[in-house]
Protein backbone atom coordinates (compact mmCIF):
# COMPACT_ATOMS: atom_id res chain seq x y z
CA UNK A 1 0.00 0.00 0.00
CA UNK A 2 1.26 3.46 -0.86
CA UNK A 3 2.10 5.77 2.02
CA UNK A 4 0.30 9.08 1.99
CA UNK A 5 1.63 12.25 3.63
CA UNK A 6 -0.69 13.18 6.49
CA UNK A 7 -1.04 16.71 5.15
CA UNK A 8 -2.86 15.37 2.12
CA UNK A 9 -5.27 13.14 4.04
CA UNK A 10 -8.70 14.36 5.10
CA UNK A 11 -11.32 13.35 7.61
CA UNK A 12 -14.60 12.89 5.73
CA UNK A 13 -17.80 12.86 7.75
CA UNK A 14 -21.07 11.18 6.80
CA UNK A 15 -24.31 11.34 8.75
CA UNK A 16 -26.73 8.54 7.92
CA UNK A 17 -30.21 7.62 9.03
CA UNK A 18 -31.28 4.05 8.35
CA UNK A 19 -35.01 3.36 8.24
CA UNK A 20 -37.79 1.45 6.52
CA UNK A 21 -39.64 3.25 3.75
CA UNK A 22 -42.01 2.24 0.97
CA UNK A 23 -40.27 2.21 -2.38
CA UNK A 24 -40.97 0.80 -5.85
CA UNK A 25 -37.53 0.10 -7.37
CA UNK A 26 -39.03 -2.30 -9.93
CA UNK A 27 -42.52 -0.70 -9.98
CA UNK A 28 -43.79 -3.00 -7.18
CA UNK A 29 -44.17 -1.26 -3.84
CA UNK A 30 -42.61 -2.84 -0.76
CA UNK A 31 -40.81 -1.92 2.43
CA UNK A 32 -37.11 -1.37 1.85
CA UNK A 33 -34.26 -0.18 4.03
CA UNK A 34 -32.90 3.21 3.02
CA UNK A 35 -29.95 5.37 4.00
CA UNK A 36 -30.99 9.02 3.98
CA UNK A 37 -33.94 8.01 1.82
CA UNK A 38 -31.81 6.20 -0.76
CA UNK A 39 -31.29 2.63 -1.90
CA UNK A 40 -28.60 1.92 -2.95
CA UNK A 41 -27.24 4.22 -0.26
CA UNK A 42 -24.90 7.19 -0.77
CA UNK A 43 -21.58 6.45 -2.46
CA UNK A 44 -18.62 7.06 -0.17
CA UNK A 45 -15.92 8.86 -2.12
CA UNK A 46 -12.48 9.17 -0.58
CA UNK A 47 -8.79 9.46 -1.33
CA UNK A 48 -6.26 6.91 -0.15
CA UNK A 49 -5.17 7.76 3.39
CA UNK A 50 -8.40 9.57 4.30
CA UNK A 51 -10.30 8.79 7.49
CA UNK A 52 -14.01 8.11 7.04
CA UNK A 53 -16.36 8.83 9.95
CA UNK A 54 -19.93 7.57 9.58
CA UNK A 55 -22.44 8.58 12.23
CA UNK A 56 -25.40 6.24 11.86
CA UNK A 57 -28.83 6.66 13.41
CA UNK A 58 -30.79 3.41 13.52
CA UNK A 59 -34.45 4.22 12.92
CA UNK A 60 -35.52 0.63 12.20
CA UNK A 61 -37.14 0.60 15.69
CA UNK A 62 -37.24 -3.19 16.14
CA UNK A 63 -33.91 -4.29 14.59
CA UNK A 64 -30.22 -3.78 15.10
CA UNK A 65 -28.00 -2.61 12.24
CA UNK A 66 -24.52 -3.84 11.32
CA UNK A 67 -22.63 -2.35 8.36
CA UNK A 68 -19.74 -4.26 6.79
CA UNK A 69 -17.13 -2.19 4.93
CA UNK A 70 -16.59 -4.85 2.32
CA UNK A 71 -12.96 -5.31 1.25
CA UNK A 72 -11.72 -1.88 2.21
CA UNK A 73 -7.90 -1.92 2.40
CA UNK A 74 -6.46 0.15 -0.44
CA UNK A 75 -7.34 2.24 -3.54
CA UNK A 76 -10.03 0.81 -5.75
CA UNK A 77 -13.71 -0.05 -5.90
CA UNK A 78 -15.38 -1.48 -2.80
CA UNK A 79 -18.82 -2.02 -1.32
CA UNK A 80 -20.66 -1.61 1.94
CA UNK A 81 -23.72 -3.52 3.02
CA UNK A 82 -25.77 -4.77 5.94
CA UNK A 83 -24.44 -7.78 7.80
CA UNK A 84 -27.35 -8.40 10.16
CA UNK A 85 -29.96 -11.02 9.36
CA UNK A 86 -31.16 -10.60 5.77
CA UNK A 87 -31.06 -6.78 5.75
CA UNK A 88 -28.80 -6.66 2.69
CA UNK A 89 -31.66 -8.20 0.68
CA UNK A 90 -33.81 -5.23 1.69
CA UNK A 91 -31.55 -2.66 0.05
CA UNK A 92 -29.08 -1.63 2.77
CA UNK A 93 -26.12 -1.42 0.38
CA UNK A 94 -23.78 1.05 -1.27
CA UNK A 95 -20.45 1.63 -2.97
CA UNK A 96 -17.07 2.92 -1.79
CA UNK A 97 -14.70 4.58 -4.28
CA UNK A 98 -11.12 5.24 -3.22
CA UNK A 99 -8.98 7.43 -5.48
CA UNK A 100 -5.21 7.69 -5.60
CA UNK A 101 -3.41 10.62 -3.93
CA UNK A 102 -2.18 13.61 -5.96
CA UNK A 103 0.81 12.79 -8.13
CA UNK A 104 -0.03 9.08 -8.36
CA UNK A 105 -1.80 7.85 -11.48
CA UNK A 106 -3.48 4.65 -12.54
CA UNK A 107 -1.75 2.50 -15.18
CA UNK A 108 -4.48 3.26 -17.73
CA UNK A 109 -6.19 6.38 -19.05
CA UNK A 110 -9.80 7.43 -19.42
CA UNK A 111 -11.84 10.59 -19.77
CA UNK A 112 -14.41 10.11 -17.02
CA UNK A 113 -15.68 7.48 -14.62
CA UNK A 114 -19.06 6.14 -13.55
CA UNK A 115 -20.21 3.52 -11.06
CA UNK A 116 -23.01 0.99 -11.04
CA UNK A 117 -24.36 -1.52 -8.50
CA UNK A 118 -26.10 -4.70 -9.63
CA UNK A 119 -28.63 -6.45 -7.39
CA UNK A 120 -31.46 -8.93 -7.49
CA UNK A 121 -34.82 -8.03 -5.98
CA UNK A 122 -37.56 -9.94 -4.17
CA UNK A 123 -41.12 -8.83 -3.48
CA UNK A 124 -41.46 -11.12 -0.48
CA UNK A 125 -40.28 -9.54 2.77
CA UNK A 126 -37.10 -10.80 4.42
CA UNK A 127 -39.19 -11.80 7.44
CA UNK A 128 -41.25 -14.11 5.24
CA UNK A 129 -38.08 -15.42 3.63
CA UNK A 130 -36.42 -16.14 6.98
CA UNK A 131 -39.52 -17.91 8.26
CA UNK A 132 -39.58 -20.19 5.21
CA UNK A 133 -35.86 -20.95 5.41
CA UNK A 134 -36.15 -21.94 9.08
CA UNK A 135 -39.24 -24.11 8.66
CA UNK A 136 -40.17 -27.75 8.06
CA UNK A 137 -41.07 -28.22 5.27
CA UNK A 138 -38.32 -26.01 3.88
CA UNK A 139 -39.54 -22.84 2.19
CA UNK A 140 -36.89 -21.79 -0.35
CA UNK A 141 -36.88 -18.15 -1.50
CA UNK A 142 -37.00 -19.23 -5.17
CA UNK A 143 -35.88 -16.87 -7.93
CA UNK A 144 -36.01 -13.08 -7.50
CA UNK A 145 -38.73 -11.13 -9.27
CA UNK A 146 -36.35 -8.61 -10.83
CA UNK A 147 -32.75 -7.61 -11.46
CA UNK A 148 -31.94 -4.02 -10.58
CA UNK A 149 -29.28 -1.87 -12.24
CA UNK A 150 -28.30 1.02 -9.99
CA UNK A 151 -31.46 0.41 -7.95
CA UNK A 152 -33.88 0.41 -10.88
CA UNK A 153 -35.75 -2.41 -12.59
CA UNK A 154 -39.03 -3.14 -14.33
CA UNK A 155 -41.46 -5.80 -13.17
CA UNK A 156 -44.36 -6.77 -15.44
CA UNK A 157 -47.32 -5.54 -13.39
CA UNK A 158 -49.81 -7.31 -15.67
CA UNK A 159 -48.75 -10.69 -14.24
CA UNK A 160 -50.16 -9.83 -10.82
CA UNK A 161 -53.58 -10.71 -9.51
CA UNK A 162 -54.80 -9.39 -6.18
CA UNK A 163 -51.54 -7.49 -5.68
CA UNK A 164 -51.90 -5.48 -8.89
CA UNK A 165 -52.68 -2.33 -6.92
CA UNK A 166 -49.16 -2.38 -5.48
CA UNK A 167 -47.58 -2.20 -8.93
CA UNK A 168 -47.43 0.92 -11.10
CA UNK A 169 -45.50 0.64 -14.34
CA UNK A 170 -45.52 4.43 -14.81
CA UNK A 171 -43.90 5.16 -11.44
CA UNK A 172 -40.77 7.26 -12.15
CA UNK A 173 -38.93 5.32 -9.41
CA UNK A 174 -38.70 2.36 -11.79
CA UNK A 175 -37.84 4.20 -14.97
CA UNK A 176 -34.71 2.62 -16.47
CA UNK A 177 -31.35 3.76 -15.18
CA UNK A 178 -29.63 5.92 -17.80
CA UNK A 179 -25.86 6.20 -18.23
CA UNK A 180 -25.06 9.14 -20.50
CA UNK A 181 -21.78 9.15 -22.45
CA UNK A 182 -20.13 11.47 -24.94
CA UNK A 183 -19.25 9.90 -28.32
CA UNK A 184 -15.57 9.04 -28.67
CA UNK A 185 -14.73 9.26 -24.97
CA UNK A 186 -13.41 6.41 -22.82
CA UNK A 187 -14.99 5.71 -19.46
CA UNK A 188 -13.88 3.82 -16.40
CA UNK A 189 -16.93 1.94 -15.21
CA UNK A 190 -16.83 0.70 -11.62
CA UNK A 191 -19.18 -2.29 -11.27
CA UNK A 192 -20.17 -3.95 -8.01
CA UNK A 193 -22.53 -6.84 -7.34
CA UNK A 194 -24.49 -7.17 -4.11
CA UNK A 195 -27.02 -9.75 -5.19
CA UNK A 196 -28.58 -11.93 -2.51
CA UNK A 197 -28.62 -15.08 -4.66
CA UNK A 198 -27.63 -14.65 -8.27
CA UNK A 199 -24.40 -14.71 -10.26
CA UNK A 200 -24.67 -12.29 -13.18
CA UNK A 201 -23.48 -11.58 -16.68
CA UNK A 202 -23.17 -7.85 -17.44
CA UNK A 203 -22.87 -6.37 -20.92
CA UNK A 204 -23.36 -3.17 -22.87
CA UNK A 205 -24.83 -3.85 -26.29
CA UNK A 206 -22.29 -3.58 -29.10
CA UNK A 207 -19.40 -2.55 -26.86
CA UNK A 208 -16.36 -4.43 -25.62
CA UNK A 209 -15.07 -3.92 -22.07
CA UNK A 210 -11.44 -4.04 -20.95
CA UNK A 211 -11.08 -5.39 -17.41
CA UNK A 212 -8.47 -3.34 -15.49
CA UNK A 213 -9.29 -3.81 -11.79
CA UNK A 214 -10.80 -6.50 -9.57
CA UNK A 215 -11.56 -6.02 -5.86
CA UNK A 216 -9.16 -3.08 -5.71
CA UNK A 217 -6.23 -4.78 -7.47
CA UNK A 218 -4.89 -3.81 -10.90
CA UNK A 219 -5.53 -6.52 -13.49
CA UNK A 220 -3.42 -7.40 -16.53
CA UNK A 221 -5.94 -6.01 -19.06
CA UNK A 222 -8.15 -8.38 -21.03
CA UNK A 223 -11.22 -7.79 -23.19
CA UNK A 224 -14.68 -9.24 -22.56
CA UNK A 225 -18.09 -8.88 -24.14
CA UNK A 226 -19.84 -10.24 -21.06
CA UNK A 227 -18.44 -9.58 -17.59
CA UNK A 228 -19.28 -12.37 -15.17
CA UNK A 229 -19.65 -10.97 -11.66
CA UNK A 230 -20.53 -12.72 -8.42
CA UNK A 231 -22.05 -11.34 -5.24
CA UNK A 232 -19.44 -9.35 -3.32
CA UNK A 233 -17.14 -8.76 -6.29
CA UNK A 234 -16.14 -5.43 -7.81
CA UNK A 235 -14.56 -4.77 -11.19
CA UNK A 236 -13.43 -1.72 -13.10
CA UNK A 237 -13.65 -1.86 -16.87
CA UNK A 238 -12.75 0.61 -19.59
CA UNK A 239 -15.37 1.17 -22.25
CA UNK A 240 -15.12 3.49 -25.25
CA UNK A 241 -18.21 5.15 -26.69
CA UNK A 242 -17.16 4.14 -30.19
CA UNK A 243 -20.42 2.91 -31.74
CA UNK A 244 -22.88 4.80 -33.95
CA UNK A 245 -23.79 7.89 -31.90
CA UNK A 246 -27.22 8.33 -33.46
CA UNK A 247 -28.92 5.86 -31.11
CA UNK A 248 -28.92 4.49 -27.57
CA UNK A 249 -27.83 0.98 -26.53
CA UNK A 250 -28.95 -1.57 -23.97
CA UNK A 251 -27.20 -2.26 -20.68
CA UNK A 252 -28.10 -5.80 -19.63
CA UNK A 253 -27.65 -7.94 -16.54
CA UNK A 254 -28.58 -11.61 -16.72
CA UNK A 255 -28.66 -14.51 -14.28
CA UNK A 256 -26.07 -17.21 -14.87
CA UNK A 257 -25.22 -20.38 -12.93
CA UNK A 258 -28.91 -21.02 -12.13
CA UNK A 259 -31.89 -21.97 -14.35
CA UNK A 260 -33.59 -18.75 -13.35
CA UNK A 261 -36.99 -17.41 -14.38
CA UNK A 262 -35.98 -13.85 -13.55
CA UNK A 263 -36.15 -11.46 -16.53
CA UNK A 264 -32.94 -9.69 -17.53
CA UNK A 265 -32.22 -6.34 -15.96
CA UNK A 266 -32.23 -3.47 -18.46
CA UNK A 267 -30.79 0.06 -18.46
CA UNK A 268 -29.93 2.55 -21.19
CA UNK A 269 -26.47 3.47 -22.46
CA UNK A 270 -27.30 6.94 -23.74
CA UNK A 271 -25.15 8.64 -26.38
CA UNK A 272 -25.33 12.40 -25.86
CA UNK A 273 -27.24 14.34 -27.16
CA UNK A 274 -29.84 11.63 -27.85
CA UNK A 275 -32.97 11.66 -25.71
CA UNK A 276 -32.03 9.65 -22.59
CA UNK A 277 -35.53 8.20 -22.33
CA UNK A 278 -35.55 6.80 -25.85
CA UNK A 279 -35.25 3.02 -25.82
CA UNK A 280 -32.71 1.44 -28.18
CA UNK A 281 -34.21 0.34 -31.51
CA UNK A 282 -33.00 -3.25 -31.04
CA UNK A 283 -34.00 -6.27 -29.01
CA UNK A 284 -31.77 -6.49 -25.90
CA UNK A 285 -28.90 -9.01 -26.12
CA UNK A 286 -29.89 -12.44 -24.88
CA UNK A 287 -26.59 -13.05 -23.10
CA UNK A 288 -24.70 -16.30 -22.44
CA UNK A 289 -26.35 -19.61 -21.58
CA UNK A 290 -26.90 -19.90 -17.82
CA UNK A 291 -25.17 -23.29 -17.60
CA UNK A 292 -22.13 -22.57 -19.78
CA UNK A 293 -19.36 -22.83 -17.21
CA UNK A 294 -16.40 -22.58 -19.59
CA UNK A 295 -16.47 -18.81 -20.26
CA UNK A 296 -16.98 -18.15 -16.57
CA UNK A 297 -13.98 -20.27 -15.65
CA UNK A 298 -11.96 -18.68 -18.47
CA UNK A 299 -12.58 -15.19 -17.02
CA UNK A 300 -11.50 -16.38 -13.58
CA UNK A 301 -8.28 -17.78 -14.99
CA UNK A 302 -7.61 -14.65 -17.06
CA UNK A 303 -7.81 -12.37 -14.01
CA UNK A 304 -4.16 -11.94 -13.06
CA UNK A 305 -2.12 -9.17 -11.45
CA UNK A 306 -0.97 -6.42 -13.79
CA UNK A 307 2.71 -6.34 -14.70
CA UNK A 308 4.42 -3.77 -12.50
CA UNK A 309 1.77 -4.20 -9.79
CA UNK A 310 2.44 -7.79 -8.76
CA UNK A 311 2.66 -8.62 -5.08
CA UNK A 312 4.37 -12.03 -5.07
CA UNK A 313 2.79 -14.64 -2.81
CA UNK A 314 4.83 -16.72 -0.37
CA UNK A 315 5.98 -19.81 -2.24
CA UNK A 316 4.89 -22.15 0.54
CA UNK A 317 2.14 -22.24 3.10
CA UNK A 318 2.32 -23.20 6.77
CA UNK A 319 -1.17 -24.69 6.88
CA UNK A 320 -3.73 -26.07 4.44
CA UNK A 321 -7.47 -26.06 5.18
CA UNK A 322 -9.83 -27.76 2.73
CA UNK A 323 -13.46 -26.62 2.90
CA UNK A 324 -16.10 -28.88 1.32
CA UNK A 325 -19.25 -26.94 0.36
CA UNK A 326 -22.29 -29.06 1.10
CA UNK A 327 -26.04 -28.80 1.53
CA UNK A 328 -27.23 -30.86 4.48
CA UNK A 329 -30.01 -31.58 6.93
CA UNK A 330 -29.97 -31.11 10.69
CA UNK A 331 -32.94 -32.58 12.55
CA UNK A 332 -34.97 -32.30 9.37
CA UNK A 333 -34.04 -28.65 8.69
CA UNK A 334 -32.16 -27.75 5.49
CA UNK A 335 -28.78 -26.14 6.13
CA UNK A 336 -25.64 -25.26 4.18
CA UNK A 337 -22.41 -26.53 5.64
CA UNK A 338 -18.63 -26.68 5.38
CA UNK A 339 -17.07 -30.10 5.95
CA UNK A 340 -20.52 -31.23 7.16
CA UNK A 341 -20.50 -28.56 9.89
CA UNK A 342 -23.08 -25.79 9.73
CA UNK A 343 -21.93 -22.61 11.44
CA UNK A 344 -23.86 -20.93 14.24
CA UNK A 345 -22.95 -17.58 15.79
CA UNK A 346 -22.74 -17.54 19.61
CA UNK A 347 -24.48 -14.86 21.68
CA UNK A 348 -21.17 -13.36 22.79
CA UNK A 349 -18.96 -11.74 20.11
CA UNK A 350 -15.86 -13.81 19.34
CA UNK A 351 -13.45 -10.90 19.63
CA UNK A 352 -14.47 -10.24 23.23
CA UNK A 353 -14.69 -13.94 24.07
CA UNK A 354 -11.16 -14.63 22.84
CA UNK A 355 -9.66 -11.46 24.31
CA UNK A 356 -11.27 -11.99 27.73
CA UNK A 357 -10.73 -15.78 27.65
CA UNK A 358 -14.45 -16.54 27.95
CA UNK A 359 -13.88 -20.10 26.85
CA UNK A 360 -17.35 -21.29 27.78
CA UNK A 361 -19.24 -19.12 25.29
CA UNK A 362 -18.26 -21.07 22.14
CA UNK A 363 -17.07 -24.55 21.27
CA UNK A 364 -13.32 -24.82 21.92
CA UNK A 365 -12.86 -27.95 19.78
CA UNK A 366 -11.13 -27.15 16.47
CA UNK A 367 -13.30 -27.49 13.36
CA UNK A 368 -12.22 -30.04 10.72
CA UNK A 369 -9.29 -29.15 8.44
CA UNK A 370 -10.77 -31.22 5.62
CA UNK A 371 -13.12 -34.03 4.71
CA UNK A 372 -12.94 -37.69 3.75
CA UNK A 373 -11.32 -36.97 0.40
CA UNK A 374 -10.81 -40.60 -0.54
CA UNK A 375 -14.40 -41.76 -0.11
CA UNK A 376 -16.58 -38.68 -0.57
CA UNK A 377 -18.31 -38.55 -3.98
CA UNK A 378 -18.61 -34.87 -4.97
CA UNK A 379 -20.67 -35.74 -8.07
CA UNK A 380 -23.67 -37.21 -6.24
CA UNK A 381 -25.90 -36.20 -3.33
CA UNK A 382 -24.38 -37.10 0.04
CA UNK A 383 -25.15 -40.65 1.12
CA UNK A 384 -25.53 -39.35 4.66
CA UNK A 385 -26.97 -35.83 4.39
CA UNK A 386 -27.01 -35.20 8.13
CA UNK A 387 -24.64 -32.57 9.48
CA UNK A 388 -23.91 -30.95 12.82
CA UNK A 389 -23.87 -27.35 13.98
CA UNK A 390 -20.95 -25.72 15.75
CA UNK A 391 -19.65 -22.40 17.03
CA UNK A 392 -15.99 -23.50 16.85
CA UNK A 393 -13.41 -21.35 15.04
CA UNK A 394 -10.07 -21.85 13.28
CA UNK A 395 -7.16 -20.55 15.36
CA UNK A 396 -4.39 -19.42 13.00
CA UNK A 397 -0.80 -18.79 14.02
CA UNK A 398 -0.16 -15.09 13.69
CA UNK A 399 1.79 -14.07 10.58
CA UNK A 400 1.61 -17.61 9.19
CA UNK A 401 0.76 -18.34 5.55
CA UNK A 402 -2.53 -20.18 5.14
CA UNK A 403 -3.90 -22.01 2.10
CA UNK A 404 -7.65 -22.44 1.76
CA UNK A 405 -9.03 -24.84 -0.83
CA UNK A 406 -12.77 -24.53 -1.40
CA UNK A 407 -14.31 -27.65 -2.94
CA UNK A 408 -17.78 -27.67 -4.49
CA UNK A 409 -19.88 -30.83 -4.37
CA UNK A 410 -23.36 -31.98 -5.27
CA UNK A 411 -26.26 -30.53 -3.29
CA UNK A 412 -29.14 -32.62 -1.89
CA UNK A 413 -30.77 -32.88 -5.32
CA UNK A 414 -29.19 -34.95 -8.08
CA UNK A 415 -27.16 -33.16 -10.79
CA UNK A 416 -27.03 -29.93 -8.80
CA UNK A 417 -23.76 -28.29 -7.83
CA UNK A 418 -24.06 -24.61 -6.99
CA UNK A 419 -21.74 -21.69 -7.72
CA UNK A 420 -20.52 -20.14 -4.48
CA UNK A 421 -18.79 -16.75 -4.10
CA UNK A 422 -16.61 -16.72 -0.98
CA UNK A 423 -15.58 -13.52 0.80
CA UNK A 424 -12.90 -13.04 3.46
CA UNK A 425 -13.12 -10.23 5.99
CA UNK A 426 -10.01 -8.39 7.09
CA UNK A 427 -7.68 -9.63 4.32
CA UNK A 428 -6.95 -9.81 0.67
CA UNK A 429 -5.87 -13.22 -0.61
CA UNK A 430 -3.94 -14.50 -3.59
CA UNK A 431 -6.01 -16.63 -5.94
CA UNK A 432 -3.63 -19.51 -6.53
CA UNK A 433 -5.69 -21.59 -8.93
CA UNK A 434 -8.96 -23.07 -10.13
CA UNK A 435 -9.76 -26.60 -11.16
CA UNK A 436 -12.47 -29.01 -12.22
CA UNK A 437 -13.52 -32.05 -10.22
CA UNK A 438 -12.02 -33.15 -6.93
CA UNK A 439 -8.96 -31.29 -5.67
CA UNK A 440 -5.86 -33.48 -5.43
CA UNK A 441 -3.75 -32.24 -2.53
CA UNK A 442 -0.64 -33.95 -3.96
CA UNK A 443 -0.88 -32.91 -7.62
CA UNK A 444 -2.90 -29.69 -7.89
CA UNK A 445 -0.70 -27.41 -5.72
CA UNK A 446 2.09 -27.97 -8.25
CA UNK A 447 -0.05 -26.05 -10.76
CA UNK A 448 -0.52 -22.98 -8.55
CA UNK A 449 0.20 -19.58 -10.05
CA UNK A 450 3.20 -18.29 -8.11
CA UNK A 451 4.10 -15.68 -10.75
CA UNK A 452 1.24 -13.18 -11.02
CA UNK A 453 -1.81 -14.25 -8.98
CA UNK A 454 -4.45 -11.60 -8.42
CA UNK A 455 -5.16 -10.28 -4.92
CA UNK A 456 -8.89 -10.33 -4.20
CA UNK A 457 -11.29 -10.47 -1.27
CA UNK A 458 -14.11 -12.39 -2.99
CA UNK A 459 -13.78 -15.35 -5.33
CA UNK A 460 -16.10 -17.79 -7.07
CA UNK A 461 -16.08 -21.57 -6.90
CA UNK A 462 -17.63 -23.18 -9.97
CA UNK A 463 -19.91 -26.28 -9.97
CA UNK A 464 -18.05 -29.52 -9.20
CA UNK A 465 -14.84 -27.51 -9.07
CA UNK A 466 -12.34 -26.05 -6.62
CA UNK A 467 -10.61 -22.74 -5.96
CA UNK A 468 -7.38 -22.32 -3.98
CA UNK A 469 -6.45 -19.19 -1.99
CA UNK A 470 -3.40 -18.10 0.00
CA UNK A 471 -3.22 -15.33 2.60
CA UNK A 472 -1.06 -14.07 5.42
CA UNK A 473 -2.68 -14.25 8.86
CA UNK A 474 -1.21 -10.87 9.81
CA UNK A 475 -4.26 -8.84 10.82
CA UNK A 476 -4.99 -9.28 14.55
CA UNK A 477 -8.65 -10.05 15.08
CA UNK A 478 -11.48 -12.48 14.45
CA UNK A 479 -12.57 -12.69 10.81
CA UNK A 480 -15.52 -14.17 8.95
CA UNK A 481 -14.98 -16.21 5.78
CA UNK A 482 -18.29 -17.04 4.18
CA UNK A 483 -20.36 -17.66 1.10
CA UNK A 484 -21.68 -14.28 -0.06
CA UNK A 485 -25.04 -15.70 -1.10
CA UNK A 486 -27.21 -14.22 1.62
CA UNK A 487 -29.35 -17.29 2.17
CA UNK A 488 -26.43 -19.73 2.27
CA UNK A 489 -24.71 -17.60 4.91
CA UNK A 490 -27.99 -17.30 6.85
CA UNK A 491 -28.15 -21.10 6.99
CA UNK A 492 -24.61 -21.76 8.13
CA UNK A 493 -22.19 -21.57 5.18
CA UNK A 494 -19.24 -19.86 6.79
CA UNK A 495 -16.25 -20.22 9.10
CA UNK A 496 -14.34 -17.89 11.42
CA UNK A 497 -10.57 -17.36 11.64
CA UNK A 498 -8.86 -16.01 14.76
CA UNK A 499 -5.33 -14.62 14.61
CA UNK A 500 -3.21 -12.56 16.98
CA UNK A 501 -6.01 -11.29 19.23
CA UNK A 502 -3.48 -11.15 22.07
CA UNK A 503 -1.71 -8.37 20.16
CA UNK A 504 -4.73 -6.08 20.33
CA UNK A 505 -4.86 -3.33 22.95
CA UNK A 506 -7.73 -2.77 25.34
CA UNK A 507 -11.06 -3.11 23.59
CA UNK A 508 -13.45 -0.14 23.80
CA UNK A 509 -16.04 -0.51 26.59
CA UNK A 510 -18.82 0.44 24.15
CA UNK A 511 -18.66 -2.98 22.47
CA UNK A 512 -19.22 -4.93 25.68
CA UNK A 513 -22.99 -5.32 25.40
CA UNK A 514 -23.94 -8.78 24.14
CA UNK A 515 -24.15 -12.19 25.80
CA UNK A 516 -21.65 -12.84 28.57
CA UNK A 517 -19.70 -9.74 27.54
CA UNK A 518 -22.16 -7.74 29.63
CA UNK A 519 -20.35 -8.79 32.79
CA UNK A 520 -16.89 -8.03 31.43
CA UNK A 521 -15.07 -4.69 32.00
Amino acid sequence: MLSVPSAEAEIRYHKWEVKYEYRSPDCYQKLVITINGQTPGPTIEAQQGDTIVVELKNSLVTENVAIHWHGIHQPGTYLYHAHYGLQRTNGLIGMIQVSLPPGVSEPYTYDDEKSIILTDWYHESTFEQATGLLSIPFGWVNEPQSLLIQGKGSFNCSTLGIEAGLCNATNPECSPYVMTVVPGKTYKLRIGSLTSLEALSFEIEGHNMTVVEADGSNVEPFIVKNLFIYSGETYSVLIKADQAPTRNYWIVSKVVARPSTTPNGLAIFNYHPNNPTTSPPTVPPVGPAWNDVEPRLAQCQATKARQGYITPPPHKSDRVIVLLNTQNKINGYIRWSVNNVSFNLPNTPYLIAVKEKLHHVFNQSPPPNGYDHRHYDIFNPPTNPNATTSTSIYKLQFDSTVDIVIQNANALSANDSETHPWHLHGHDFWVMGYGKGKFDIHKDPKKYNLVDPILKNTVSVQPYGWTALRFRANNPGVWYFHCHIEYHLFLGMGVVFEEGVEKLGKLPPSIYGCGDAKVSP
Side-chain angles (χ1 to χ4, degrees), residues 344-496:
N344 275 350
L345 282 167
N347 293 325
T348 304
Y350 282 113
L351 183 63
I352 299 170
V354 174
K355 181 70 173 175
E356 301 295 342
K357 297 181 171 56
L358 304 176
H359 300 304
H360 64 286
V361 302
F362 67 92
N363 188 339
Q364 295 297 302
S365 301
N369 274 331
Y371 69 105
D372 186 356
H373 171 271
R374 179 174 296 181
H375 298 103
Y376 194 96
D377 181 3
I378 68 167
F379 297 102
N380 285 292
T383 54
N384 178 11
N386 294 316
T388 59
T389 60
S390 178
T391 57
S392 62
I393 63 178
Y394 291 88
K395 298 179 183 296
L396 307 179
Q397 182 179 343
F398 185 72
D399 208 30
S400 63
T401 299
V402 181
D403 277 5
I404 306 293
V405 180
I406 314 167
Q407 174 72 64
N408 266 355
N410 204 98
L412 289 174
S413 301
N415 303 313
D416 179 19
S417 181
E418 300 171 298
T419 299
H420 296 286
W422 276 79
H423 171 59
L424 177 59
H425 292 203
H427 304 77
D428 288 327
F429 49 71
W430 290 276
V431 183
M432 304 304 292
Y434 301 86
K436 299 177 182 178
K438 188 183 290 187
F439 177 79
D440 188 320
I441 199 166
H442 302 292
K443 296 179 181 178
D444 287 322
K446 296 176 182 176
K447 306 172 190 173
Y448 284 175
N449 178 9
L450 296 169
V451 178
D452 55 359
I454 192 70
L455 274 167
K456 294 183 96 263
N457 60 64
T458 305
V459 72
S460 64
V461 190
Q462 300 298 329
Y464 302 112
W466 56 265
T467 301
L469 323 172
R470 180 168 292 175
F471 70 96
R472 295 282 297 277
N474 59 2
N475 189 4
V478 181
W479 306 107
Y480 221 168
F481 182 46
H482 63 87
C483 178
H484 214 266
I485 293 175
E486 191 81 329
Y487 311 110
H488 293 179
L489 170 61
F490 184 72
L491 293 177
M493 198 170 202
V495 298
V496 167

Side-chain angles (χ1 to χ4, degrees), residues 279-354:
S279 294
T282 50
V283 175
V286 175
W290 73 267
N291 56 354
D292 189 356
V293 176
E294 291 303 323
R296 307 205 308 263
L297 186 58
Q299 179 184 305
C300 293
Q301 293 169 332
T303 306
K304 299 177 180 179
R306 188 175 185 127
Q307 295 300 310
Y309 295 84
I310 297 171
T311 303
H315 272 227
K316 293 182 179 179
S317 64
D318 302 302
R319 182 176 180 182
V320 178
I321 301 172
V322 181
L323 304 178
L324 177 72
N325 291 335
T326 57
Q327 188 186 33
N328 297 87
K329 289 186 178 181
I330 298 178
N331 299 323
Y333 292 91
I334 301 290
R335 300 277 295 197
W336 272 262
S337 307
V338 176
N339 294 339
N340 288 327
V341 177
S342 190
F343 183 71
N344 275 350
L345 282 167
N347 293 325
T348 304
Y350 282 113
L351 183 63
I352 299 170
V354 174

